[in-house]
Amino acid sequence: MILISGLMLLLQTAECLDRFCRLNQSYPCYAALGHKLNVLMVLDTSEYDMKIQKRINNNKETDPVCRVKYGRMKKKECDLYSNRPEVSVINGTLKINRVIRADSGNYTVTVAHHSYGSQTSRDLQVNVEAPIGSVEVSVNCSSSGVMRASCSSEGDQLLYSWTLNGDSLMDGNSCIDLNEGTDGNITCSVKNHVSQGQKTINVKPCTGLDRFCRLNQSYSCYAALGHKLNVLMVLDASEYEWKIQKRINNDNSNDPVCRVKYGRIKKKDCDLYSNRPEVTVINGTLIINRVIRADSGNYTVTVAHQSYGAQTSRDLQVNVEAPIGSVEVSIICSSSGVMRASCSSEGDQLLYSWTLNGDSLMDGNSSIDLNEGTDGNITCSVKNHVSQGQKTINVKPCPVSVVFVLVWCFQMMVLFGLLGGFHIYMRHTSGKKQEDQNLRMRRFREQHKHTAEDS
């Protein structure tokens, strides 16, 4: 019993594109394009004649018909499935082994009893849908840091649903907007009446290049070159007049100024952003749609209340940095087998960090030396105040070079040659000393012999 239950569960969960319908069902019959359709019409084919008619012109005299008798299609009286050997009737079931688009439509099936002559007719709506293909999910980040997830697949009448870390998301479209802090696994599920599929990818927060600063912040404002800078000056622009002055010569009378009144830049009183249509003020926020290098500097902003006349001034340091470009990592092996990893990217004020197989490395320069046995994934992360990027590559131990082997062999040959020469020299020196000693002994004996004879 347990085995049968397990098999039934497996059959229910498996994706089967063959479709099964019944003549008396109250809902439409959905068939998968290119797959099999089975329509049960009667249980005992020996007792009934059937006529299958597809409504096209709503005219019974001209709409195509196929007659079935004794469980067999009468080829001479079937202009509905003519020249289609993949269509047959077996044991009261109409079988279409390969469904085509033209099989969609509304059918009337008339069943007549052989003996009694009574007949009944029923309608069956057949809808053909192309099944789901492979599901693809992509994530794009806008310049403001907002991410959009997009889902695509082949198939007809697609229905989309999304989950983030297992929790359902409300939007059921093929695209969905996520906030800039989204982190985790996002799944797009796609289904239609004949099939389903899904794809899961991991998403990380987007690094937005549009920058947001406030007039009263205590730290410097960093802006990304070529991107947008928003500086919140006041909450209610209608109550205040501003004066934005950039310190260049530290001379209040000569430094460029831009005046703002009623939330609008006074073009005639603005030599700071003259001829720059991309600079505006909206709802108390100074907006520079395309930051240039000249926007760097120290600004003094004076805010005066129109009614009370009281005014306050604050300084704001703006630093413009070029954002990180694509990060490239290269590996160079020396002749001794030592490798050096180098990292490069475009951008200003770059800070580098390295990890090997997820473990941090101490060196924070653009290049780092690795030992000859290094094996795994090395990652170079680059960041500055406005952006960040990284690149991971796989490294393998450097092969021992032919030059290194030849040099090593030559060194060993020289070493063995020196040892051999030293050995020969020592043998030669030792032999000569032995001969000298023998000569001295012989002379000593001869002298001793002559002395004995004289006495």
Side-chain angles (χ1 to χ4, degrees):
M1 185 67 182
I2 295 176
L3 178 60
I4 295 175
S5 299
L7 290 174
M8 291 299 293
L9 179 62
L10 180 62
L11 289 173
Q12 290 174 3
T13 55
E15 182 182 8
C16 183
L17 296 182
D18 291 354
R19 310 301 292 177
F20 297 86
C21 299
R22 300 185 310 276
L23 181 59
N24 60 346
Q25 68 186 39
S26 59
Y27 47 89
C29 173
Y30 287 92
L33 181 66
H35 294 268
K36 184 182 289 187
L37 171 62
N38 302 270
V39 181
L40 176 62
M41 293 184 289
V42 295
L43 294 177
D44 188 355
T45 58
S46 64
E47 295 185 2
Y48 298 94
D49 287 344
M50 293 180 287
K51 182 178 71 172
I52 308 169
Q53 188 169 27
K54 184 177 183 181
R55 294 206 301 271
I56 297 178
N57 303 313
N58 287 322
N59 188 336
K60 292 184 179 181
E61 296 179 359
T62 59
D63 288 342
V65 174
C66 189
R67 298 183 182 275
V68 180
K69 192 171 185 178
Y70 299 115
R72 293 184 179 180
M73 294 171 57
K74 302 178 72 174
K75 298 295 185 181
K76 294 182 179 180
E77 299 183 47
C78 186
D79 53 358
L80 179 58
Y81 300 115
S82 56
N83 301 317
R84 290 187 65 187
E86 69 271 20
V87 181
S88 60
V89 175
I90 300 176
N91 296 328
T93 298
L94 171 68
K95 295 180 178 291
I96 304 177
N97 287 316
R98 187 176 178 83
V99 172
I100 60 177
R101 294 269 185 198
D103 290 325
S104 287
N106 199 311
Y107 295 80
T108 297
V109 181
T110 304
V111 180
H113 197 281
H114 288 320
S115 303
Y116 308 125
S118 60
Q119 64 179 25
T120 59
S121 63
R122 289 184 178 274
D123 290 341
L124 181 64
Q125 177 66 43
V126 176
N127 299 322
V128 175
E129 289 185 358
I132 304 297
S134 60
V135 180
E136 298 298 332
V137 178
S138 61
V139 174
N140 294 316
C141 291
S142 69
S143 59
S144 60
V146 175
M147 67 173 69
R148 164 163 283 202
S150 300
C151 187
S152 62
S153 179
E154 298 177 348
D156 296 330
Q157 305 296 323
L158 303 183
L159 298 174
Y160 298 88
S161 61
W162 296 85
T163 61
L164 178 61
N165 297 324
D167 298 326
S168 296
L169 299 176
M170 295 300 293
D171 198 328
N173 298 324
S174 61
C175 296
I176 183 170
D177 289 332
L178 306 169
N179 63 51
E180 58 187 9
T182 300
D183 190 353
N185 293 322
I186 190 168
T187 300
C188 174
S189 299
V190 188
K191 68 177 182 178
N192 58 11
H193 293 92
V194 297
S195 63
Q196 61 184 2
Q198 68 176 28
K199 180 68 174 288
T200 300
I201 64 170
N202 186 261
V203 295
K204 294 295 182 183
C206 288
T207 303
L209 295 181
D210 289 359
R211 310 301 291 177
F212 298 86
C213 299
R214 300 184 309 275
L215 179 60
N216 59 346
Q217 68 186 38
S218 58
Y219 47 89
S220 297
C221 173
Y222 287 91
L225 181 66
H227 294 269
K228 183 186 289 186
L229 171 62
N230 303 269
V231 181
L232 176 61
M233 301 287 186
V234 295
L235 294 177
D236 189 352
S238 63
E239 295 185 2
Y240 297 91
E241 293 185 10
W242 319 338
K243 181 179 73 173
I244 308 169
Q245 189 167 26
K246 184 177 182 181
R247 294 208 302 271
I248 296 178
N249 304 311
N250 287 323
D251 185 347
N252 290 338
S253 59
N254 295 325
D255 290 342
V257 173
C258 190
R259 297 183 183 276
V260 180
K261 190 173 184 179
Y262 300 118
R264 294 183 181 181
I265 292 178
K266 302 176 69 175
K267 297 295 185 182
K268 294 181 179 180
D269 294 329
C270 186
D271 53 359
L272 179 58
Y273 300 115
S274 56
N275 301 319
R276 290 186 64 187
E278 68 271 19
V279 180
T280 58
V281 173
I282 300 176
N283 296 329
T285 299
L286 171 68
I287 300 173
I288 304 176
N289 286 309
R290 186 175 179 84
V291 172
I292 59 177
R293 294 237 182 235
D295 290 324
S296 287
N298 198 309
Y299 295 81
T300 298
V301 181
T302 303
V303 180
H305 197 283
Q306 294 183 15
S307 301
Y308 309 127
Q311 63 180 27
T312 58
S313 63
R314 289 184 178 273
D315 291 340
L316 180 64
Q317 178 66 43
V318 176
N319 299 320
V320 175
E321 289 186 358
I324 305 296
S326 60
V327 180
E328 298 297 332
V329 178
S330 61
I331 301 292
I332 298 176
C333 291
S334 68
S335 59
S336 61
V338 176
M339 67 174 68
R340 164 163 282 204
S342 299
C343 186
S344 62
S345 179
E346 298 177 348
D348 296 330
Q349 304 296 323
L350 304 183
L351 298 174
Y352 297 88
S353 61
W354 295 86
T355 61
L356 178 62
N357 296 324
D359 297 325
S360 297
L361 300 176
M362 295 298 294
D363 199 329
N365 298 324
S366 61
S367 298
I368 183 171
D369 290 332
L370 306 169
N371 63 50
E372 57 188 9
T374 299
D375 190 354
N377 293 322
I378 189 167
T379 300
C380 173
S381 299
V382 188
K383 68 177 182 178
N384 59 11
H385 293 93
V386 297
S387 62
Q388 60 184 1
Q390 68 177 27
K391 180 69 174 287
T392 300
I393 65 171
N394 186 262
V395 295
K396 295 293 183 183
C398 286
V400 179
S401 66
V402 176
V403 175
F404 174 74
V405 174
L406 293 176
V407 171
W408 181 81
C409 291
F410 177 75
Q411 290 175 344
M412 295 302 295
M413 290 174 62
V414 171
L415 178 61
F416 285 126
L418 291 174
L419 291 174
F422 179 73
H423 180 69
I424 295 173
Y425 170 76
M426 292 301 295
R427 290 189 60 183
H428 175 73
T429 304
S430 176
K432 188 175 181 181
K433 288 182 178 180
Q434 186 66 36
E435 291 178 358
D436 291 343
Q437 185 177 2
N438 292 337
L439 180 60
R440 286 195 299 271
M441 290 297 294
R442 187 167 58 251
R443 288 177 178 177
F444 175 76
R445 291 192 186 101
E446 290 176 353
Q447 183 178 1
H448 182 70
K449 182 179 181 181
H450 290 315
T451 303
E453 289 177 353
D454 292 339
S455 54

